[in-house]
Amino acid sequence: MIRVFHLYKNYLPTVAVLQDVSFKLEAGDFVFLTGPSGAGKTTLLRLLFAAERPKSGQILINGKNITSFSRRRIAHVRRSIGVVFQDFKLITYRTVFDNVALVLEISGTPRNEIKKRVWKVLKLVGIEQKLYRYPLELSGGEQQRVAIARALVNEPQIILADEPTGNLDFEITTEIMNILNNVNAQGTTVMLATHNQLLLQKFKRKVFTLHNGMLHEDVLPKEDQ
Amino acid sequence: MNITYLYYLLKSTYQNIRQHLVINLISIFTITFSLVIFGLYSFGYLNLKKTLDDWRTDFQVIVYLQDSISQTQLKSLKHFCKSHPVVSRVVYVDKNKAMQHFRQSLGKDSTLLQGLKGNPLPASLELQLKSEVQGMQAVESLVGRIRQQPGVDELQYGQQWLNHFFSIMRLLHIFGLGVTGFLFFVTIFIVSNTIKLSFYSRRDAIDIMELVGATRFYIAIPYLLEGLFQGLIASLLSVAAVYGIYYYLVAWLQRSFPFLQGMVSLTFFTPRMLGGFIILGVLLGGLGFLVSFKWIRGN
Ligand SMILES: Nc1ncnc2c1ncn2[C@@H]1O[C@H](COP(=O)(O)OP(=O)(O)OP(=O)(O)O)[C@@H](O)[C@H]1O
Ligand SMILES: [Mg+2]
């Protein structure tokens, strides 16, 4: 499903954000991506949906090397990846409904099908009463749930979630984790970046830890000081 | 292309235009302005050319013949003139006819001719030229060839007048094309800038759309539609404006110069030219889009 080989990334010439990162995820895997703030979690996720280009290394999604893809083919790859952005990335002049519907519009889903599916997924994340509100009229937690709904609505093969529960209380966090567990149980590969230790302890899953630009598998990080 | 996409396209285009209503109006006004100028120019050119063409069918080359010309010479000269590609009609006017015409043109004063012995007027060939004859060279070469034929005395043709006629038309053409070309250039520039503005005000949303899998083509189409829409509205407005000007001009001419009736008749554009006009407007809008959208291919 996802194969990463010897990935290097830096924004500034002298500072390496990722160094020789390699890993492999199969269909139906669920992995936490953790590490201190600034460790490169967001960077790694952005590389996986080709929002960044690596300095070197290969990324294979479903056997296809996306590092050499044209912009057009990247657009198509992105439609099979649901992304929950750390900063939500909702379109402010579109309603909650239209924000979630966007993904389906892009892939050419019929209109009545869009209505059904958007409603269903908004209900799933518990925000269906705010259907016609605009993102800026919502709380941070509500916006986050819209962002999650948008990532789920297309029933993607891969979900990359960047701190999807950062603004949510523990009750809703548990709900969201259950939703992600459910889609994962149906075969969706999930990679979830977080530095919330409680999450890692409560939901025992595979853990990738980023430290000094290097990725370690199944090493639980030390408690935050 | 499916219903969802069409719905999305129209909705986005509508939203973009509504949000930037004033800018869109400015853009539409600019296109309209240059189309009206272009329309008036073509209208004027069209009618001037038509009028001059009408007049030109009256234009003839008169070949005066020597009295000593023989029948065979006359016959071969006639034949030569008739078979020349520029000539549409040849009329032979013999000495008697010439005298008759002269008498008629003098009217009451024809008594002046009473003391005249014999007939001093020469016989002549009146050549009518084809109306599609362009430029002086064709006429000059015809005249030169005829002059070399035996039995030809003198040639009379409105050389000065023709010269002016052709060079004025040429000048008008170049000037008109230059002015409208410049106007179109400015128009495309302005349209492209309004579209750019509309685009950059949506930059965040556009980045997000790309991140969730929209192609640049998909994102750009509403902006193309915005340009085409501006062009369409502007061309309709300008056709209406040019027609209004035409309508009042005709009414004014009839009121102020009733004697001109029949001599000068104004024609409006043919349906085909109207179609071309509207396509031109839409094209201007589309070009405005293309100029502003290096983004589709670039980084
Ligand atoms: N666009 C950028 N330009 C320059 N430096 C960047 C850019 N984006 C990230 N960085 C740097 O790369 C490093 C990794 O950033 P990244 O956002 O991936 O960290 P993170 O693990 O997601 O952190 P957090 O937990 O706070 O979200 C940081 O040091 C950051 O300053
Ligand atoms: Mg981050």
Side-chain angles (χ1 to χ4, degrees):
Chain A
M1 180 103 298
I2 301 178
R3 299 247 177 305
V4 170
F5 299 105
H6 309 294
L7 203 59
Y8 287 81
K9 174 73 185 175
N10 46 352
Y11 295 102
L12 304 169
T14 51
V15 190
V17 178
L18 297 178
Q19 289 191 71
D20 199 16
V21 168
S22 299
F23 64 86
K24 172 157 101 166
L25 289 180
E26 303 301 342
D29 276 356
F30 191 127
V31 62
F32 285 117
L33 178 63
T34 190
S37 180
K41 301 183 290 295
T42 300
T43 301
L44 179 56
L45 294 185
R46 284 174 64 78
L47 283 161
L48 293 182
F49 62 92
E52 299 284 351
R53 298 252 179 201
K55 182 179 159 203
S56 64
Q58 313 296 329
I59 300 167
L60 271 63
I61 305 281
N62 280 331
K64 286 180 203 131
N65 188 350
I66 64 163
T67 50
S68 60
F69 265 22
S70 68
R71 193 195 306 287
R72 196 178 177 78
R73 294 182 73 189
I74 285 172
H76 285 275
V77 168
R78 283 177 182 165
R79 292 179 205 173
S80 60
I81 303 177
V83 183
V84 183
F85 298 93
Q86 193 167 13
D87 54 353
F88 317 143
K89 295 209 188 297
L90 300 175
I91 298 177
T92 50
Y93 66 88
R94 275 176 169 246
T95 60
V96 166
F97 178 91
D98 283 338
N99 263 284
V100 178
L102 174 68
V103 181
L104 297 175
E105 285 172 359
I106 288 170
S107 58
T109 313
R111 202 69 209 143
N112 47 353
E113 172 94 13
I114 290 181
K115 282 197 182 120
K116 268 189 267 170
R117 280 167 71 172
V118 172
W119 169 257
K120 214 173 103 188
V121 77
L122 286 178
K123 206 161 145 69
L124 190 68
V125 297
I127 196 128
E128 75 274 16
Q129 332 84 286
K130 306 272 166 91
L131 199 63
Y132 296 117
R133 295 286 201 84
Y134 288 88
L136 296 180
E137 300 165 6
L138 303 179
S139 74
E142 288 168 335
Q143 289 181 40
Q144 190 150 41
R145 277 182 276 166
V146 178
I148 294 166
R150 185 180 59 192
L152 294 174
V153 73
N154 208 18
E155 293 171 4
Q157 295 173 284
I158 299 169
I159 287 183
L160 304 175
D162 201 349
E163 294 284 3
T165 57
N167 293 284
L168 304 178
D169 59 41
F170 196 74
E171 205 176 316
I172 299 173
T173 297
T174 310
E175 252 174 60
I176 296 297
M177 285 305 294
N178 284 337
I179 292 167
L180 290 177
N181 276 326
N182 280 342
V183 295
N184 173 240
Q186 284 154 33
T188 304
T189 310
V190 179
M191 190 170 206
L192 191 156
T194 183
H195 41 216
N196 183 345
Q197 302 304 309
L198 292 175
L199 220 55
L200 305 192
Q201 280 152 26
K202 183 153 189 249
F203 303 91
K204 300 246 178 289
R205 293 292 198 164
K206 193 191 276 190
V207 176
F208 288 173
T209 305
L210 276 172
H211 195 73
N212 290 334
M214 263 142 6
L215 186 125
H216 310 278
E217 296 196 23
D218 279 321
V219 178
L220 277 172
K222 290 185 202 126
E223 296 286 317
D224 282 355
Q225 287 98 358
Chain B
M1 177 61 91
N2 59 37
I3 299 292
T4 309
Y5 188 38
L6 205 66
Y7 173 83
Y8 153 79
L9 284 182
L10 295 179
K11 197 171 92 178
S12 317
T13 309
Y14 169 73
Q15 280 175 343
N16 286 350
I17 292 172
R18 208 186 51 180
Q19 199 192 358
H20 302 284
L21 199 56
V22 175
I23 289 166
N24 266 277
L25 287 179
I26 291 172
S27 186
I28 287 172
F29 175 78
T30 312
I31 306 175
T32 307
F33 178 76
S34 37
L35 281 177
V36 166
I37 297 293
F38 176 68
L40 289 180
Y41 152 71
S42 351
F43 173 70
Y45 183 78
L46 182 79
N47 278 287
L48 192 65
K49 186 163 176 347
K50 194 174 95 44
T51 308
L52 290 178
D53 277 349
D54 286 350
W55 289 350
R56 191 145 58 130
T57 47
D58 295 341
F59 172 73
Q60 30 183 246
V61 174
I62 301 177
V63 185
Y64 292 109
L65 307 173
Q66 291 166 354
D67 285 350
S68 60
I69 191 168
S70 72
Q71 278 306 317
T72 42
Q73 279 175 336
L74 176 63
K75 217 166 160 187
S76 80
L77 181 63
K78 253 191 197 166
H79 180 74
F80 173 81
C81 292
K82 244 180 215 152
S83 57
H84 197 280
V86 165
V87 179
S88 68
R89 211 155 65 95
V90 180
V91 178
Y92 175 63
V93 180
D94 65 20
K95 287 177 72 82
N96 289 336
K97 260 223 192 87
M99 194 46 147
Q100 225 174 302
H101 286 169
F102 190 43
R103 241 183 243 290
Q104 264 164 19
S105 67
L106 286 178
K108 274 190 225 141
D109 300 330
S110 61
T111 44
L112 287 175
L113 297 175
Q114 266 166 8
L116 205 65
K117 273 195 205 117
N119 181 355
L121 295 181
S124 63
L125 289 176
E126 293 179 2
L127 313 183
Q128 208 124 72
L129 302 189
K130 288 183 180 152
S131 66
E132 65 267 20
V133 175
Q134 293 288 341
M136 267 317 284
Q137 277 105 322
V139 180
E140 296 267 11
S141 93
L142 170 71
V143 166
R145 301 279 300 277
I146 293 176
R147 195 168 267 143
Q148 278 154 26
Q149 303 295 316
V152 173
D153 188 21
E154 237 183 277
L155 277 135
Q156 189 193 318
Y157 62 104
Q159 191 188 40
Q160 283 307 101
W161 187 76
L162 255 190
N163 257 334
H164 284 149
F165 167 79
F166 285 118
S167 49
I168 285 173
M169 285 303 275
R170 234 194 325 271
L171 265 183
L172 263 180
H173 210 52
I174 291 166
F175 182 73
L177 288 182
V179 168
T180 46
F182 176 73
L183 270 177
F184 285 173
F185 182 77
V186 172
T187 303
I188 289 170
F189 179 75
I190 290 175
V191 173
S192 85
N193 275 296
T194 63
I195 293 173
K196 255 188 213 159
L197 209 74
S198 178
F199 179 77
Y200 282 109
S201 79
R202 292 258 191 263
R203 198 62 223 231
D204 291 348
I206 284 161
D207 288 343
I208 293 171
M209 290 175 75
E210 270 202 285
L211 285 176
V212 298
T215 58
R216 291 204 160 177
F217 184 72
Y218 179 93
I219 294 169
I221 293 297
Y223 298 93
L224 171 62
L225 287 183
E226 188 174 336
L228 296 182
F229 173 79
Q230 290 175 1
L232 180 68
I233 297 297
S235 58
L236 293 178
L237 284 178
S238 54
V239 165
V242 174
Y243 185 76
I245 292 171
Y246 159 75
Y247 184 86
Y248 281 106
L249 194 65
V250 168
W252 178 76
L253 276 178
Q254 277 171 356
R255 224 173 331 109
S256 316
F257 306 98
F259 55 87
L260 272 183
Q261 218 144 54
M263 271 181 71
V264 179
S265 66
L266 293 181
T267 39
F268 194 57
F269 300 129
T270 61
R272 209 158 134 190
M273 290 170 82
L274 279 183
F277 209 68
I278 287 166
I279 289 172
L280 182 67
V282 172
L283 219 65
L284 282 179
L287 279 175
F289 163 83
L290 281 184
V291 167
S292 65
F293 262 62
K294 281 171 267 155
W295 175 81
I296 292 183
R297 265 177 265 130
N299 280 305

